[in-house]
Amino acid sequence: MSVLFEQIADSIIDGMIEEARDSVQKALDDGCEGKDILNEGLIAGMNEVGVLFKEGEVFVPEVLISAKAMNAGMEVLKPYLQEGDVKKVGKAVFATVKGDLHDIGKKLVALMMEGAGYEIIDLGVDVSPEKIVEAVKQYNPDIIGMSAMLTTTMVAMKETIETLKEEGLYEKVKIMIGGAPVSDKYAKQIGANYSSDASAAVDLANQLMAV
């Protein structure tokens, strides 16, 4: 990895927003290829953040700041990327289920997956099974990610899966669920896949997509 790419990656890991912008611009000024800056700088940095998060070296606030730094770098880089430079691993629709307004965990998973090359459609919070099914029809995603932080709202995950089955869409998507009260046992009961945290969610998505 060149020194410039290392600087970009380090700016992401350290959550240095201005440095991310500046180091991406410097790499462009030096004639580096857009796709190399993306893969060897920005994505490499975000991947390292994922590893640190998994190992308990960094926590949610740091990951969110790193994601902001990556987005800042991407803003500079986007005009220089060619069609095909950004290889999308897959498309995922995310939602916090009906009755639940918790957002941070879902946002974190979405950011980490975006950093790993997924296209993310975030439907927000308090999303009904019908809205999720509508989104599947509209966006044709590979993955649905559902989050619940309350025991009382977990049932909406089951309802969503039942609605997907009724509409004949269940076999067309992989379903991931997570959140404080959710367990692997519950996921298996309702026909979904469980991840314990944002880093595990990226690994799970990659397994489901056979990346």
Side-chain angles (χ1 to χ4, degrees):
M1 191 195 280
S2 82
V3 175
L4 271 174
F5 295 151
E6 269 182 41
Q7 283 174 359
I8 294 168
D10 286 345
S11 70
I12 304 303
I13 295 162
D14 297 335
M16 310 294 273
I17 293 168
E18 286 304 319
E19 281 83 345
R21 277 198 197 99
D22 294 346
S23 51
V24 168
Q25 190 60 59
K26 189 170 187 332
L28 288 165
D29 293 344
D30 282 17
C32 296
E33 290 275 333
K35 68 175 187 294
D36 295 335
I37 296 171
L38 176 68
N39 294 321
E40 295 179 45
L42 294 170
I43 289 176
M46 206 63 206
N47 285 344
E48 180 59 26
V49 173
V51 171
L52 294 169
F53 181 74
K54 188 188 280 185
E55 292 172 352
E57 297 288 322
V58 299
F59 301 97
V60 172
E62 290 96 328
V63 176
L64 293 173
I65 294 167
S66 288
K68 277 186 184 168
M70 178 168 177
N71 288 338
M74 277 300 289
E75 278 170 27
V76 177
L77 186 59
K78 257 180 191 162
Y80 298 87
L81 289 172
Q82 306 297 315
E83 196 71 43
D85 278 353
V86 185
K87 285 189 176 61
K88 286 294 177 197
V89 184
K91 191 191 291 183
V93 163
F94 275 88
T96 299
V97 294
K98 189 177 179 181
D100 207 315
L101 301 173
H102 292 85
D103 209 24
I104 290 179
K106 169 181 62 79
K107 268 199 174 137
L108 189 60
V109 173
L111 286 168
M112 297 280 270
M113 281 184 59
E114 205 166 16
Y118 287 85
E119 181 186 343
I120 304 297
I121 295 118
D122 190 344
L123 302 179
V125 300
D126 190 22
V127 184
S128 68
E130 293 74 25
K131 270 199 179 155
I132 294 171
V133 169
E134 266 173 44
V136 172
K137 289 175 180 172
Q138 184 179 346
Y139 299 108
N140 196 27
D142 305 291
I143 292 170
I144 296 172
M146 291 186 282
S147 169
M149 289 298 283
L150 305 168
T151 317
T152 50
T153 57
M154 280 167 57
V155 69
M157 294 174 162
K158 185 169 182 274
E159 286 168 7
T160 303
I161 289 171
E162 284 167 359
T163 310
L164 286 165
K165 285 178 178 171
E166 284 163 17
E167 295 280 342
L169 297 168
Y170 176 73
E171 300 296 334
K172 295 181 179 175
V173 290
K174 318 283 186 199
I175 297 167
M176 293 169 41
I177 63 172
V182 182
S183 65
D184 190 45
K185 185 181 174 189
Y186 182 69
K188 286 191 172 83
Q189 274 174 7
I190 66 171
N193 303 278
Y194 169 73
S195 66
S196 55
D197 60 39
S199 190
V202 175
D203 293 341
L204 173 61
N206 288 341
Q207 279 172 22
L208 294 173
M209 295 295 294
V211 173

